[in-house]
Amino acid sequence: MMRICPVCSSDKSTLIFHDVNRREWYTELEWDFVSCNDCGMKYLTHILSFSEMWEKYEDIYVHPDILNISEKIHKNVPQISKKILDIGCNHGVQLIPYVNLGWNVYGIDLNKHAIEDCKKYLPEANFLVSTIEDVWFPDNMFDKIQTFHVLEHVYDPKSFLEKCYKILNENWEIEIRIPHGDSLEMKVWGKYSSQSWVPFHINMFDKKTIVEVLTQAWFHEIMVHTNPIPWWWILSFRQWKNTINISRWVTNFKQGYFHILIQVMLYPFLWILSKVWYGEELHVIAKK
Ligand SMILES: [Zn+2]
């Protein structure tokens, strides 16, 4: 499928790099990553169809340690009348702080294995296998929407955000985390950077383009900053060396003291970079 700029709809772009998948080694296809000549948005010009893409996503899911997660959930918390929706909730861990505050918790994800895991340790919460585009919720239903590392995978980020706007309650917030297309990591490693994950990362926002697309979807009071993520630099290094299969690596990686040491050493440097807008992750909060 051919794409135009997902932010300004321009069809004029400049090639940044041409690459293959470097994490799961789906090397049968090659991809063009471009920058829009009109708004600067970075994106993939050709993408897989939804069903082809989905077949590959399903392979990648890693089951979490359910017992360990269950221990983090507080018992007998008084319920309050607030509702949160996590779009692309994965195994649901990022909803636990809200469960512990007594919020009504909703999560949707396309991965049925992830939703099965969520239901195991949060049986009272509401989990559904769906995309945001295909699910129905009443207008103004949620007091918070969070969506972490999802928007970079979405074919039409503007209509995704418009749907969020509709179901979010007046004056409440959406919180977004995405890889930062203008990070130092991206500049240093280019197509080898952890942020370049073709054909899965199809949108790469920077401060200007994320503000633009949120504004198009009527959000306001948009706050953006960047976060340091040291392990992404190790991943970039591994992608550069072409010695990685990500799902196996992430599991082993978490147990490695050497990797922890490198991350601790990198952290102060990356923290300073994130303060001057070169951090690895964009963290965005906007209001309806
Ligand atoms: Zn554009």
Side-chain angles (χ1 to χ4, degrees):
M1 284 165 75
M2 180 74 188
R3 279 176 103 210
I4 54 173
C5 174
V7 173
C8 77
S9 303
S10 166
D11 60 359
K12 294 180 186 63
S13 60
T14 306
L15 183 72
I16 306 175
F17 54 74
H18 180 79
D19 203 16
V20 294
N21 174 283
R22 290 174 188 281
R23 291 196 202 174
E24 297 80 19
W25 297 102
Y26 303 131
T27 48
E28 68 278 18
L29 292 165
E30 299 190 350
W31 311 90
D32 284 341
F33 194 71
V34 302
S35 165
C36 170
N37 291 359
D38 292 313
C39 75
M41 177 67 187
K42 301 183 179 90
Y43 64 99
L44 275 193
T45 51
H46 288 79
I47 57 171
L48 293 171
S49 72
F50 189 78
S51 55
E52 288 169 312
M53 180 87 102
W54 187 241
E55 213 172 280
K56 298 198 188 302
Y57 274 130
E58 284 236 294
D59 283 356
I60 300 168
Y61 181 66
V62 182
H63 290 278
D65 178 351
I66 303 266
L67 281 177
N68 193 358
I69 294 171
S70 303
E71 280 170 16
K72 297 192 172 98
I73 301 171
H74 302 168
K75 304 284 175 281
N76 307 317
V77 177
Q79 292 293 296
I80 59 171
S81 65
K82 294 275 172 283
K83 295 189 187 72
I84 178 169
L85 172 65
D86 190 322
I87 305 170
C89 63
N90 196 17
H91 42 57
V93 172
Q94 55 215 22
L95 280 165
I96 290 175
Y98 291 90
V99 173
N100 290 342
L101 288 169
W103 285 53
N104 287 304
V105 163
Y106 292 73
I108 60 172
D109 200 289
L110 263 179
N111 192 321
K112 61 175 187 294
H113 307 297
I115 293 295
E116 279 161 17
D117 284 343
C118 290
K119 287 178 173 171
K120 278 182 203 153
Y121 57 84
L122 291 171
E124 291 97 46
N126 311 276
F127 291 106
L128 204 63
V129 178
S130 181
T131 63
I132 187 66
E133 291 85 352
D134 291 333
V135 69
W136 183 85
F137 290 116
D139 290 2
N140 309 319
M141 175 167 172
F142 294 102
D143 303 298
K144 168 118 195 202
I145 293 177
Q146 66 182 19
T147 184
F148 297 159
H149 295 272
V150 174
L151 212 54
E152 69 273 28
H153 302 271
V154 171
Y155 177 73
D156 184 350
K158 187 183 163 211
S159 62
F160 177 103
L161 291 169
E162 283 171 349
K163 179 75 178 273
C164 294
Y165 187 88
K166 208 162 150 346
I167 59 177
L168 187 62
N169 205 351
E170 212 73 46
N171 290 315
W172 290 81
E173 285 174 2
I174 185 169
E175 182 175 0
I176 300 168
R177 292 170 186 266
I178 38 177
H180 179 205
D182 206 20
S183 61
L184 183 72
E185 187 194 16
M186 189 84 182
K187 291 178 199 297
V188 168
W189 298 100
K191 67 182 180 182
Y192 301 106
S193 76
S194 65
Q195 299 161 336
S196 157
W197 180 27
V198 296
F200 300 108
H201 285 174
I202 66 173
N203 308 309
M204 202 54 68
F205 293 95
D206 57 23
K207 184 185 183 187
K208 176 173 165 273
T209 51
I210 191 67
V211 169
E212 174 61 32
V213 77
L214 277 161
T215 308
Q216 286 173 10
W218 313 300
F219 283 97
H220 63 104
E221 292 185 42
I222 304 165
M223 292 185 302
V224 191
H225 67 266
T226 71
N227 288 329
I229 306 193
W231 77 266
W232 287 10
W233 280 75
I234 304 174
L235 176 55
S236 295
F237 176 74
R238 296 292 298 267
Q239 294 200 150
W240 173 69
K241 294 227 312 176
N242 286 341
T243 57
I244 190 152
N245 182 309
I246 187 75
S247 49
R248 258 179 284 150
W249 180 72
V250 167
T251 320
N252 299 335
F253 168 81
K254 289 185 175 150
Q255 296 148 7
Y257 290 110
F258 180 62
H259 284 141
I260 292 167
L261 181 69
I262 295 177
Q263 290 183 75
V264 170
M265 284 161 60
L266 277 172
Y267 191 82
F269 169 68
L270 299 182
W271 184 84
I272 293 167
L273 278 175
S274 74
K275 296 296 155 201
V276 292
W277 277 101
Y278 286 113
E280 289 71 53
E281 180 186 61
L282 275 183
H283 187 181
V284 188
I285 294 174
K287 261 193 187 170
K288 174 166 177 177

